[in-house]
C-alpha cells in the first residue's frame, strides 16, 4: 500500500522512525534508548542494571529480569561492572530490533513489490523526507514556487495589469504566512487543488496561474480555480486592498473548492 501510494503521488508515509528507515536501507542504526522499550517492567529492570554502582547490584538486577532476558537471548551474566552498558545495549537491541526482525523482512518484501526498498537503499538521503519526520506544514516558499504564470505578451496593457496582480498575489501570501490574514496557506491550496498539502511527487503537471481578463470589458471580482488541472485564475484589481478582499472572500465563502 505504501509503495502504490507513493507511486501514484499519494500521502507521504511520514510515520517511520529513523531506526526503521535505516533498517530498511540496510544502514547501521543508532544505539537503542530505554524510551524505545514499551514494556514498562523491562524498562525499569534495565534501568536498575544501568544505575547499579557495584557488580553485585548489577547481577541482582539482571537476576530480577532473568525471565524477560532469557526470552531475548540475553541470559549471560556480568564478569565486571564495565560490561553493564554493553549488556544493557544488547538487551535493548534484542527487544527493539531482534523481536521485529521477521516482521521487518516481510515489510521490506512488500515494499519491494514496486522496487521501493531498493530505491531507498540507493537514495537514502533524498527519500528520507518522504518517510521520517512527521507531517510538515505547508510553507510559504512551497506556494511561491508551485505555479507557473501564463502571462500575456510583454509591453501590453494586459501584461502590465498581470504583473501588478502577481505582485499583489505574492504580497498577500506573505501576509497569510505571517498569520495576519483570516485564511491559511492550506485553505488557499485546497481552493486551488482540493488538497491541503502538495503530493510527495508533485502534481501530474505544474499548476498554472491565469488571469480573469475579459475581452468584452466585463469584470470578474472573485478568484476561480480548476482543480482537475490545478489552475488558479486571479481577478484583476486596481488596488491591493481590493485584491485581498475578494481573494479572501472567495476562499472563505467557496462552498466547495474552486467554486463560488
Amino acid at each position: 500500500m505504501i509503495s502504490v501510494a507513493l507511486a501514484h503521488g499519494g500521502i507521504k508515509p511520514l510515520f517511520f522512525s529513523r531506526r526503521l528507515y535505516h533498517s530498511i536501507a540496510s544502514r547501521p542504526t543508532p544505539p537503542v534508548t530505554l524510551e524505545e522499550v514499551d514494556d514498562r517492567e523491562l524498562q525499569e529492570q534495565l534501568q536498575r542494571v544501568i544505575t547499579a554502582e557495584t557488580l553485585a547490584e548489577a547481577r541482582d538486577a539482571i537476576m530480577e529480569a532473568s525471565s524477560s532476558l532469557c526470552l531475548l537471548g540475553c541470559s549471560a551474566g556480568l564478569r565486571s561492572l564495565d560490561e553493564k552498558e554493553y549488556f544493557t545495549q544488547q538487551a535493548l537491541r534484542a527487544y527493539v530490533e531482534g523481536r521485529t526482525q521477521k516482521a521487518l523482512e516481510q515489510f521490506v518484501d512488500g515494499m519491494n513489490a514496486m522496487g521501493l526498498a531498493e530505491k531507498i537503499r540507493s537514495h537514502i538521503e533524498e527519500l528520507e523526507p518522504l518517510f521520517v519526520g512527521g507531517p510538515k506544514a505547508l510553507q510559504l516558499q512551497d506556494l511561491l514556487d508551485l505555479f507557473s504564470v501564463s502571462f500575456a505578451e510583454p509591453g501590453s496593457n494586459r501584461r502590465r495589469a498581470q504583473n501588478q496582480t502577481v505582485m499583489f498575489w505574492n504580497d498577500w501570501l506573505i501576509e497569510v504566512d505571517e498569520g495576519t490574514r483570516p485564511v491559511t496557506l492550506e485553505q488557499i491550496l485546497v481552493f486551488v487543488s482540493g488538497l491541503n498539502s502538495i503530493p510527495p511527487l508533485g502534481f501530474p503537471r505544474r499548476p498554472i496561474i491565469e488571469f480573469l481578463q475579459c475581452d468584452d470589458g466585463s469584470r470578474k471580482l472573485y478568484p476561480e480555480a480548476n482543480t482537475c488541472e490545478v489552475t488558479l485564475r486571479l481577478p484583476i484589481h486596481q488596488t491591493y486592498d481590493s485584491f485581498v478582499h475578494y481573494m479572501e472572500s472567495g476562499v472563505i465563502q467557496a462552498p466547495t473548492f474552486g467554486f463560488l
Side-chain angles (χ1 to χ4, degrees), residues 12 30 32 41 62 65 74 77 82 91 108 117 123 136 146-147 170 173 184-185 211 220 228 232 237 246 250:
K12 300 177 185 179
V32 183
E41 182 179 3
I62 291 173
C74 302
D82 293 337
V108 172
H123 307 282
K136 295 179 176 60
L146 182 62
F147 296 92
N170 291 338
L173 289 183
T184 65
L185 297 177
F211 301 92
K220 292 190 174 183
C228 295
L232 172 64
H237 291 277
Y246 285 103

Side-chain angles (χ1 to χ4, degrees), residues 106-124:
Q106 293 178 10
F107 187 59
V108 172
D109 286 343
M111 293 181 69
N112 256 336
M114 299 185 72
L116 181 57
E118 284 298 325
K119 292 299 183 183
I120 289 175
R121 295 188 186 103
S122 302
H123 307 282
I124 181 171

Side-chain angles (χ1 to χ4, degrees), residues 77-237:
L78 298 183
R79 291 173 296 181
S80 70
L81 195 60
D82 293 337
E83 295 179 351
K84 70 174 184 177
E85 291 185 9
Y86 175 79
F87 177 86
T88 52
Q89 185 57 214
Q90 293 302 107
L92 289 169
R93 282 198 181 275
Y95 183 85
V96 173
E97 297 181 351
R99 293 183 315 127
T100 58
Q101 187 60 38
K102 290 298 181 182
L104 176 64
E105 292 171 1
Q106 293 178 10
F107 187 59
V108 172
D109 286 343
M111 293 181 69
N112 256 336
M114 299 185 72
L116 181 57
E118 284 298 325
K119 292 299 183 183
I120 289 175
R121 295 188 186 103
S122 302
H123 307 282
I124 181 171
E125 294 181 359
E126 292 84 355
L127 294 180
E128 185 169 344
L130 297 180
F131 297 90
V132 181
K136 295 179 176 60
L138 184 66
Q139 302 294 312
L140 169 63
Q141 200 61 45
D142 296 335
L143 275 188
L144 291 175
D145 295 339
L146 182 62
F147 296 92
S148 64
V149 182
S150 179
F151 282 116
E153 62 277 7
S156 64
N157 290 334
R158 293 172 70 91
R159 179 61 176 267
R160 282 191 287 272
Q162 291 170 0
N163 288 339
Q164 178 176 263
T165 299
V166 170
M167 291 176 58
F168 289 166
W169 161 256
N170 291 338
D171 290 344
W172 178 53
L173 289 183
I174 293 172
E175 288 193 40
V176 171
D177 182 58
E178 291 172 346
T180 60
R181 308 307 309 178
V183 298
T184 65
L185 297 177
E186 287 79 10
Q187 285 177 289
I188 296 171
L189 185 60
V190 168
F191 179 85
V192 177
S193 68
L195 303 174
N196 60 9
S197 63
I198 298 172
L201 300 182
F203 291 98
R205 67 178 224 175
R206 189 175 182 188
I208 301 172
I209 286 179
E210 296 178 349
F211 301 92
L212 293 169
Q213 290 171 297
C214 302
D215 294 330
D216 61 3
S218 61
R219 185 181 175 200
K220 292 190 174 183
L221 300 177
Y222 294 93
E224 297 177 3
N226 183 327
T227 56
C228 295
E229 296 181 356
V230 194
T231 299
L232 172 64
R233 299 185 179 96
L234 298 177
I236 302 296
H237 291 277

